[in-house]
Amino acid sequence: MQKNRNKLLIMAFTIMLMNGVVNNLRGQIGPFIIEQYSLSYSKLGFLFSFFSIGSMVVFFFTGKLIERFGLVRLLLGGLVTNFIALSLFFWINSYYLLILAFTLIGIGLTILNISAVNLVSISYSKKRGKMINLLHLFYGIGGISAPYFVTVLIKNGFSWSSSFLFSLIFVIIIGWQFKLVSLPQIEVKTGKQQMDSTLKLLQNRRVTLFALIVFLQVGVEFSMVTWLAPFLKNFQGRSELAVSFHLSLFFIAFTVGRFIASLLVEKFGYYNFLLFNCAAAILFINTAVIGGYNYTILLPLSGIFLAVQVPTTQAAIFDSFSQNGIKVVGFSQTAGMIGSTVLSNWLLGFVNDFFNLKASFIALILVLIISFLATYRLKQLS
């Protein structure tokens, strides 16, 4: 039993590593797509929003999907979808094929994400906050690798799209791990009896607040990933190496933040930990915006505090809603994908076009202030 649980954990970590790499390739490839397809910032944001559109649907119906198909078939479906989506980059030669590929990647990665979070939550219910933060730590490791991954490929004569083709190795590794483990089969038989209806859960004020917090935090997180490179390159005129350094530093900060969170979150309590880290992120981003060029490094360093928000919120949800936790996490992650699309891609895309890239980071400060207030209210209700 323990040996199988360790194998499940390794597979979950590999899934999150893949999520971290593939999801965050966009931070480095954005300028290349703009150049190849002659796009505006708003059109690039629209294109990247298709990462999120498929994810929204999958996350919202998380509970139903697990009830209907079970964890085993859900995970297998995610592997197949990712294989098809990443393989498409061998033929891509148009903006519209990119939209299709990004949509399928969003669907496939989300299915695998759901599978990984549930595997950890089921296997480590007594250390949920610690283990979910450790799980997301591997997302950060993938994010650290993504910028240099793209840079190395391009310097060796490959196109930016090759980074997606090379990512197929993760699908192969996870598929091999899938054959070696015994996955829990608890959702199909008992899920319908245990879970409350979607309507009943959506009427719960705490569910609404959890969803709002994840909406805002994921929006901020993906805004940093999407717009930090254009800000550094096009607004501040920094080199490709400097852009890669700052993006990697952001994900190093993410990794450090989630490791620290795995050690401290249970001691502070979920809500106190969320409030402290949100306030610290506001301070860092605000100082970087006011301080200018010499303080820009605080933008990637804010990842230390941004990193803990979503996994800690997920742990709080599972603790608050027990058997309904899977559905509520699904609702909140749906809100997160909407936040990624509306805040990161659409809103900030237009802000960048009509004002400048600096204005988008001012907007992120306002978003984080709203998140802080929502978290404080949730703490009062809990």
Side-chain angles (χ1 to χ4, degrees):
M1 179 69 72
Q2 181 61 40
K3 186 177 181 181
N4 185 65
R5 190 167 76 157
N6 291 338
K7 290 180 179 179
L8 289 173
L9 188 63
I10 292 171
M11 184 169 71
F13 286 167
T14 307
I15 288 172
M16 236 16 164
L17 181 66
M18 175 184 172
N19 264 267
V21 171
V22 178
N23 237 325
N24 294 296
L25 291 174
R26 75 185 84 177
Q28 194 75 358
I29 67 173
F32 296 103
I33 295 177
I34 288 175
E35 182 179 349
Q36 181 172 338
Y37 293 98
S38 301
L39 303 180
S40 66
Y41 290 123
S42 56
K43 285 185 177 179
L44 179 67
F46 178 76
L47 174 64
F48 282 158
S49 70
F50 284 89
F51 269 104
S52 306
I53 289 172
S55 296
M56 293 178 204
V57 177
V58 175
F59 272 129
F60 186 80
F61 292 105
T62 292
K64 291 295 182 183
L65 287 171
I66 292 178
E67 288 174 356
R68 176 67 179 84
F69 298 107
L71 200 54
V72 176
R73 282 188 285 177
L74 192 66
L75 197 155
L76 182 60
L79 289 173
V80 172
T81 305
N82 275 290
F83 184 85
I84 294 171
L86 295 172
S87 298
L88 276 176
F89 282 88
F90 184 79
W91 295 282
I92 280 178
N93 58 7
S94 74
Y95 181 79
Y96 298 103
L97 276 178
L98 271 179
I99 289 176
L100 174 61
F102 286 167
T103 303
L104 290 176
I105 288 174
I107 292 171
L109 290 180
T110 302
I111 292 174
L112 293 183
N113 184 302
I114 291 167
S115 302
V117 171
N118 276 282
L119 286 174
V120 171
S121 179
I122 293 168
S123 302
Y124 294 90
S125 59
K126 293 183 179 179
K127 298 179 180 179
R128 196 167 276 142
K130 174 180 180 179
M131 299 309 296
I132 291 180
N133 270 285
L134 280 177
L135 175 67
H136 284 272
L137 181 148
F138 279 82
Y139 182 94
I141 294 174
I144 293 169
S145 307
Y148 287 108
F149 182 40
V150 177
T151 300
V152 168
L153 287 175
I154 290 174
K155 284 187 175 180
N156 283 278
F158 293 95
S159 68
W160 60 265
S161 60
S162 298
S163 57
F164 290 96
L165 284 171
F166 279 100
S167 298
L168 281 167
I169 188 64
F170 289 107
V171 179
I172 296 170
I173 293 171
I174 296 166
W176 173 71
Q177 292 173 328
F178 178 81
K179 295 181 64 176
L180 299 179
V181 301
S182 175
L183 275 75
Q185 289 276 13
I186 65 170
E187 298 86 1
V188 175
K189 294 181 180 179
T190 62
K192 291 182 180 179
Q193 297 174 357
Q194 291 182 345
M195 296 183 188
D196 291 336
S197 70
T198 297
L199 181 60
K200 181 178 179 180
L201 287 173
L202 290 177
Q203 291 173 340
N204 187 311
R205 187 181 301 179
R206 288 191 300 154
V207 172
T208 304
L209 285 171
F210 274 123
L212 174 61
I213 292 165
V214 177
F215 168 86
L216 298 171
Q217 291 293 342
V218 172
V220 171
E221 179 181 327
F222 277 90
S223 294
M224 293 290 289
V225 172
T226 302
W227 299 112
L228 183 58
F231 174 75
L232 295 169
K233 184 176 181 180
N234 299 338
F235 186 79
Q236 294 191 340
R238 299 188 187 238
S239 67
E240 290 290 343
L241 184 60
V243 172
S244 295
F245 168 76
H246 281 80
L247 281 173
S248 291
L249 181 60
F250 177 71
F251 290 108
I252 290 171
F254 241 65
T255 305
V256 171
R258 282 171 176 168
F259 177 73
I260 293 173
S262 70
L263 302 176
L264 299 178
V265 63
E266 310 290 351
K267 298 178 181 178
F268 276 75
Y270 296 143
Y271 301 111
N272 289 336
F273 201 64
L274 287 169
L275 288 169
F276 170 80
N277 282 281
C278 188
I282 292 170
L283 177 63
F284 270 51
I285 297 173
N286 187 60
T287 303
V289 170
I290 294 174
Y293 192 94
N294 292 331
Y295 289 85
T296 302
I297 197 168
L298 293 178
L299 289 176
L301 288 178
S302 68
I304 294 173
F305 311 107
L306 296 174
V308 309
Q309 297 293 317
V310 174
T312 303
T313 302
Q314 288 179 344
I317 289 171
F318 277 114
D319 269 19
S320 299
F321 294 96
S322 58
Q323 70 269 16
N324 291 305
I326 294 172
K327 274 194 171 183
V328 179
V329 166
F331 299 153
S332 67
Q333 290 300 109
T334 303
M337 291 301 97
I338 296 173
S340 172
T341 302
V342 174
L343 296 180
S344 171
N345 297 319
W346 294 349
L347 177 62
L348 293 196
F350 284 113
V351 168
N352 292 332
D353 278 342
F354 286 102
F355 297 97
N356 55 45
L357 287 155
K358 182 178 179 180
S360 62
F361 290 93
I362 297 173
L364 292 185
I365 296 170
L366 299 176
V367 170
L368 285 171
I369 291 172
I370 297 171
S371 179
F372 182 91
L373 296 174
T375 304
Y376 183 76
R377 178 57 179 159
L378 185 58
K379 180 183 177 182
Q380 290 180 320
L381 295 173
S382 300

mmCIF file of all heavy atoms in Angstrom, residues 4 112 148 155 163 179 248-250 261 325 379:
data_model
loop_
_atom_site.group_PDB
_atom_site.id
_atom_site.type_symbol
_atom_site.label_atom_id
_atom_site.label_comp_id
_atom_site.label_asym_id
_atom_site.label_seq_id
_atom_site.Cartn_x
_atom_site.Cartn_y
_atom_site.Cartn_z
ATOM 1 N N ASN A 4 2.676 1.713 -3.347
ATOM 2 C CA ASN A 4 1.799 2.229 -4.391
ATOM 3 C C ASN A 4 1.506 3.716 -4.159
ATOM 4 O O ASN A 4 1.432 4.499 -5.117
ATOM 5 C CB ASN A 4 0.486 1.445 -4.424
ATOM 6 C CG ASN A 4 -0.409 1.860 -5.575
ATOM 7 O OD1 ASN A 4 -0.083 1.679 -6.743
ATOM 8 N ND2 ASN A 4 -1.557 2.441 -5.250
ATOM 9 N N LEU A 112 -5.345 16.477 -16.415
ATOM 10 C CA LEU A 112 -4.223 15.916 -15.655
ATOM 11 C C LEU A 112 -4.055 16.630 -14.319
ATOM 12 O O LEU A 112 -3.729 16.006 -13.301
ATOM 13 C CB LEU A 112 -2.932 16.016 -16.473
ATOM 14 C CG LEU A 112 -2.853 15.147 -17.730
ATOM 15 C CD1 LEU A 112 -1.482 15.300 -18.393
ATOM 16 C CD2 LEU A 112 -3.113 13.684 -17.405
ATOM 17 N N TYR A 148 14.280 28.780 -20.267
ATOM 18 C CA TYR A 148 15.558 28.318 -20.791
ATOM 19 C C TYR A 148 15.368 27.196 -21.805
ATOM 20 O O TYR A 148 16.157 27.043 -22.740
ATOM 21 C CB TYR A 148 16.456 27.863 -19.637
ATOM 22 C CG TYR A 148 16.977 29.029 -18.829
ATOM 23 C CD1 TYR A 148 16.509 29.279 -17.549
ATOM 24 C CD2 TYR A 148 17.926 29.900 -19.363
ATOM 25 C CE1 TYR A 148 16.970 30.365 -16.822
ATOM 26 C CE2 TYR A 148 18.404 30.983 -18.640
ATOM 27 C CZ TYR A 148 17.920 31.204 -17.360
ATOM 28 O OH TYR A 148 18.385 32.287 -16.650
ATOM 29 N N LYS A 155 18.252 28.771 -29.938
ATOM 30 C CA LYS A 155 19.675 28.974 -30.215
ATOM 31 C C LYS A 155 20.275 27.818 -30.998
ATOM 32 O O LYS A 155 21.309 27.972 -31.662
ATOM 33 C CB LYS A 155 20.438 29.180 -28.905
ATOM 34 C CG LYS A 155 20.248 30.558 -28.298
ATOM 35 C CD LYS A 155 21.149 30.763 -27.093
ATOM 36 C CE LYS A 155 21.028 32.202 -26.574
ATOM 37 N NZ LYS A 155 21.896 32.434 -25.398
ATOM 38 N N SER A 163 9.195 23.659 -28.957
ATOM 39 C CA SER A 163 9.149 23.461 -27.504
ATOM 40 C C SER A 163 7.933 22.636 -27.100
ATOM 41 O O SER A 163 7.986 21.873 -26.127
ATOM 42 C CB SER A 163 9.135 24.814 -26.782
ATOM 43 O OG SER A 163 8.040 25.603 -27.221
ATOM 44 N N LYS A 179 0.890 2.817 -16.061
ATOM 45 C CA LYS A 179 0.823 1.352 -16.140
ATOM 46 C C LYS A 179 1.360 0.684 -14.877
ATOM 47 O O LYS A 179 1.069 -0.494 -14.627
ATOM 48 C CB LYS A 179 1.615 0.861 -17.351
ATOM 49 C CG LYS A 179 1.035 1.293 -18.700
ATOM 50 C CD LYS A 179 1.850 0.752 -19.849
ATOM 51 C CE LYS A 179 1.800 -0.781 -19.891
ATOM 52 N NZ LYS A 179 2.512 -1.328 -21.067
ATOM 53 N N SER A 248 12.798 33.102 -15.245
ATOM 54 C CA SER A 248 13.243 31.960 -14.437
ATOM 55 C C SER A 248 13.258 32.313 -12.959
ATOM 56 O O SER A 248 12.900 31.495 -12.109
ATOM 57 C CB SER A 248 14.636 31.505 -14.886
ATOM 58 O OG SER A 248 14.582 30.920 -16.154
ATOM 59 N N LEU A 249 13.677 33.537 -12.643
ATOM 60 C CA LEU A 249 13.682 33.980 -11.246
ATOM 61 C C LEU A 249 12.264 33.967 -10.678
ATOM 62 O O LEU A 249 12.059 33.611 -9.509
ATOM 63 C CB LEU A 249 14.279 35.382 -11.138
ATOM 64 C CG LEU A 249 14.373 35.958 -9.719
ATOM 65 C CD1 LEU A 249 15.248 35.075 -8.835
ATOM 66 C CD2 LEU A 249 14.923 37.389 -9.765
ATOM 67 N N PHE A 250 11.300 34.350 -11.507
ATOM 68 C CA PHE A 250 9.910 34.320 -11.057
ATOM 69 C C PHE A 250 9.503 32.903 -10.646
ATOM 70 O O PHE A 250 8.895 32.700 -9.594
ATOM 71 C CB PHE A 250 8.995 34.832 -12.165
ATOM 72 C CG PHE A 250 7.522 34.780 -11.822
ATOM 73 C CD1 PHE A 250 6.985 35.650 -10.895
ATOM 74 C CD2 PHE A 250 6.689 33.857 -12.429
ATOM 75 C CE1 PHE A 250 5.629 35.611 -10.565
ATOM 76 C CE2 PHE A 250 5.336 33.812 -12.121
ATOM 77 C CZ PHE A 250 4.805 34.690 -11.192
ATOM 78 N N ALA A 261 5.950 27.252 2.058
ATOM 79 C CA ALA A 261 4.554 27.058 2.443
ATOM 80 C C ALA A 261 4.319 25.658 2.986
ATOM 81 O O ALA A 261 3.568 25.471 3.945
ATOM 82 C CB ALA A 261 3.641 27.315 1.245
ATOM 83 N N GLY A 325 -15.486 18.681 -1.592
ATOM 84 C CA GLY A 325 -14.280 19.433 -1.915
ATOM 85 C C GLY A 325 -13.896 19.361 -3.377
ATOM 86 O O GLY A 325 -13.457 20.352 -3.969
ATOM 87 N N LYS A 379 -12.354 34.509 6.071
ATOM 88 C CA LYS A 379 -11.876 34.141 7.397
ATOM 89 C C LYS A 379 -12.938 34.424 8.456
ATOM 90 O O LYS A 379 -13.133 33.625 9.398
ATOM 91 C CB LYS A 379 -10.580 34.900 7.726
ATOM 92 C CG LYS A 379 -10.035 34.560 9.110
ATOM 93 C CD LYS A 379 -8.794 35.400 9.427
ATOM 94 C CE LYS A 379 -8.299 35.095 10.852
ATOM 95 N NZ LYS A 379 -7.124 35.914 11.221
#
